[in-house]
Amino acid sequence: MSRVAALACVMLALVACEREHRRFSEVAPASGRPTHVTPQPSRNPAEGNAWAIAQGKQLYEAYNCNGCHANGGGGMGPALMDATWLYGSEPQDVYTSIVEGRPNGMPAFGGRIPDVQVWQLVAYVRSMSGQTRFDVRPARSDHMRVKESEQARRPERPVTAAPSGRP
Amino acid sequence: MSRAAIVVAAVACAACSGRMPVLDPGGPQAARIATYWWIVFWLSALILAAVVAFLLHTLAHRRVAAAPASLVEDTRVERRLALGVAAAVGLTALTLVVLLVTSVATGRALRSFGGTDPLTLEVTGYQWWWDVEYWDPVPSQRVRTANEIHIPVGRPVLVKTRSLDVIHSFWVPGLHGKKDNIPGHGSSLVLQADRAGTFIGRCAEFCGVQHAHMQLLVIADQPEVFDAWLQAQRRSAVVPTDAFARHGFDLFMTGPCALCHTVLGTPAGGRRGPDLTHLASRRTLAAGTLPNTVGHLAGWIIDPQAQKPGAQMPGNAFGADDLSALLAFLGGLS
């Protein structure tokens, strides 16, 4: 019995480590020119990682995503914290939106944002509507509180809306 | 035994001078702090000497207490003892009052410096570098740089400190004490250099993985040298005419660099990393981690995580030709 408990503790500890795991030497693939070939890993390495999502949250402001999407409620660009996904809610879809851009204003950031950071942004954008695991979603902001934390929100159920449905 | 003494002496000396000279003040504020430090030091030394002397004296003149002749107390001895204890308590209280008064006086004196026309600059701590902005009522005359502060000799400098991520602490031991930068809570200090020279500063509050590599330089120059420097820093960068450097310029603007870094006079206006408008004029890279040479800059661009693991700058796999062109462009940012 105690052996099972010890094993469970070790497993828990290992899982907890992975949650905050941080890779230091990630060299971005050749950048400098916009790329239209999107490398598609089978799963987003940032998705289950609290540190990577926190980085994504910082980058969201550093790269001025909030200039159009505000704090997730949308503005000039569509809202990111609701259930509506114009181009799909899967990590690959969000990645493509960021790297290749979308009609009606979303610029292409391919070649400008290193791949590692794009994946961090993807994981964060999905966190905004609760598409990532509860324990890796940010629990607070670095600045004044303008909305409840990603962790405190109820996950939305993604609905892919037809882009033509928008005015 | 003697070797141990040498080691202790060497450590003690290393702390007093050299790169971080706490007791070699470069200005009036640091001088006040050093004076206060010496008062505390000599007072403590005096008390330690007195206590040790008293202890040795009592050890040398040990008397074996004879059995008391009677149970009646000797009032004369009692009174002498009571007087001795009262004197010791009084002296201790006096020492503490003296230290308190000197400490408060030093603190007040540090606040009173400043003059009527201080040079004002705003220093923002980031993980793990310093953003420096020279304030001017005319926005176009403000100067932004990073990790390197130039000041004129003999003129008070009002440093407004702040932080936008975690708690840092601005500390240039040759010029002033520490000042914590607390997010959302601006603070300030006034420092002044009385002689030309380079003073090394550091973050003095643990702020993450690369806290140890969060250095800054304060370079004090004669006023005319400083004015020339400030004028040069106000100039925008020019688009290179040379084809090779121009290729580097294009890479900078269309690649990942421009998203985080600003180069005045170009479309690059990112605020996440240090301003690079006058990168080539600075002495160090990555907040004092590396000397600013072409080789170090190349290594830093390709793989910053090898030099400063955890730094916010991601690696960039530029090809050899593209990297050379980029370095040619960056080398022209003087």
Side-chain angles (χ1 to χ4, degrees):
Chain A
M1 183 58 208
S2 69
R3 194 177 292 174
V4 172
L7 194 67
C9 282
V10 169
M11 300 266 282
L12 264 177
L14 288 176
V15 168
C17 293
E18 184 58 32
R19 177 185 168 272
E20 286 283 349
H21 184 63
R22 182 171 179 182
R23 295 160 196 85
F24 279 122
S25 54
E26 276 173 312
V27 175
S31 50
R33 288 198 189 87
T35 163
H36 296 288
V37 190
T38 47
Q40 305 269 1
S42 54
R43 64 179 270 275
N44 180 1
E47 197 90 339
N49 189 299
W51 177 79
I53 292 178
Q55 282 298 102
K57 183 166 177 156
Q58 283 191 13
L59 294 172
Y60 182 82
E61 280 178 24
Y63 293 157
N64 204 25
C65 308
N66 56 350
C68 293
H69 299 284
N71 286 300
M76 199 160 87
L80 300 177
M81 61 197 284
D82 60 1
T84 313
W85 294 81
L86 299 178
Y87 302 101
S89 63
E90 287 306 304
Q92 259 76 345
D93 303 326
V94 186
Y95 179 94
T96 310
S97 295
I98 296 174
V99 169
E100 294 183 359
R102 296 291 185 186
N104 296 328
M106 175 76 187
F109 287 93
R112 286 184 168 271
I113 303 181
D115 234 38
V116 180
Q117 294 187 343
V118 175
W119 284 116
Q120 291 170 348
L121 279 164
V122 168
Y124 174 64
V125 167
R126 280 168 47 76
S127 296
M128 295 174 101
S129 57
Q131 305 307 308
T132 51
R133 266 183 11 227
F134 172 80
D135 65 320
V136 295
R137 293 206 291 268
R140 62 172 193 88
S141 296
D142 284 343
H143 42 66
M144 217 156 64
R145 186 183 145 133
V146 291
K147 59 180 191 292
E148 81 274 28
S149 77
E150 284 77 2
Q151 228 172 41
R153 284 177 217 162
R154 223 156 17 104
E156 300 286 348
R157 308 185 113 202
V159 179
T160 303
S164 56
R166 273 177 65 80
Chain B
M1 181 59 207
S2 68
R3 189 175 296 172
I6 290 171
V7 169
V8 168
V11 168
C13 291
C16 302
S17 60
R19 284 162 58 83
M20 303 283 285
V22 181
L23 297 178
D24 181 18
Q29 292 85 358
R32 284 302 296 245
I33 294 172
T35 307
Y36 176 62
W37 193 91
W38 283 116
I39 291 173
V40 175
F41 175 81
W42 286 118
L43 211 55
S44 309
L46 197 71
I47 292 168
L48 181 69
V51 170
V52 169
F54 181 70
L55 207 63
L56 289 176
H57 176 78
T58 47
L59 278 174
H61 300 86
R62 220 164 6 163
R63 276 175 305 194
V64 181
S70 70
L71 288 175
V72 180
E73 286 176 352
D74 184 342
T75 48
R76 277 189 320 176
V77 173
E78 284 295 315
R79 188 169 299 139
R80 237 178 44 218
L81 283 174
L83 219 62
V85 170
V89 169
L91 265 176
T92 307
L94 184 71
T95 313
L96 290 176
V97 167
V98 166
L99 288 182
L100 180 71
V101 168
T102 353
S103 169
V104 170
T106 307
R108 286 179 66 88
L110 288 179
R111 292 309 305 174
S112 71
F113 288 110
T116 49
D117 180 32
L119 173 73
T120 304
L121 45 95
E122 190 168 74
V123 175
T124 310
Y126 288 97
Q127 283 177 321
W128 291 274
W129 58 282
W130 305 93
D131 178 77
V132 182
E133 186 178 24
Y134 287 75
W135 199 80
D136 194 287
V138 184
S140 64
Q141 296 298 296
R142 289 175 201 166
V143 162
R144 189 178 285 273
T145 180
N147 307 320
E148 199 171 295
I149 298 174
H150 288 247
I151 58 173
V153 168
R155 183 173 167 196
V157 182
L158 173 64
V159 181
K160 294 181 173 173
T161 58
R162 60 174 195 155
S163 166
L164 289 182
D165 43 34
V166 300
I167 302 177
H168 301 283
S169 186
F170 177 85
W171 187 35
V172 187
L175 295 175
H176 207 293
K178 299 168 185 174
K179 182 63 91 174
D180 279 6
N181 309 13
I182 295 168
H185 189 93
S187 194
S188 69
L189 57 87
V190 177
L191 49 80
Q192 181 180 324
D194 284 342
R195 57 180 153 86
T198 303
F199 302 89
I200 294 179
R202 275 187 183 287
C203 177
E205 180 71 48
F206 181 71
C207 59
V209 201
Q210 286 300 336
H211 164 65
H213 285 148
M214 189 168 164
Q215 221 180 66
L216 80 158
L217 293 178
V218 178
I219 298 158
D221 283 319
Q222 295 305 327
E224 55 277 8
V225 180
F226 169 77
D227 286 339
W229 175 85
L230 197 64
Q231 280 305 324
Q233 295 286 310
R234 281 184 180 139
R235 278 199 294 273
S236 294
V238 280
V239 179
T241 45
D242 166 54
F244 191 54
R246 170 71 207 210
H247 177 54
F249 171 86
D250 291 340
L251 285 170
F252 191 97
M253 297 307 152
T254 58
C257 318
L259 235 55
C260 292
H261 296 287
T262 294
V263 177
L264 282 186
T266 74
R271 277 269 179 270
R272 187 167 162 81
D275 189 306
L276 300 182
T277 311
H278 298 281
L279 173 70
S281 76
R282 301 210 276 260
R283 295 186 190 177
T284 65
L285 293 172
T289 311
L290 304 165
N292 189 3
T293 64
V294 180
H296 283 110
L297 183 58
W300 176 251
I301 293 171
I302 294 294
D303 190 7
Q305 303 301 321
Q307 333 254 2
K308 196 171 173 180
Q312 303 290 332
M313 173 140 159
N316 297 282
F318 284 107
D321 290 341
D322 284 352
L323 182 63
S324 307
L326 191 60
L327 290 169
F329 164 59
L330 293 174
L333 296 176
S334 54

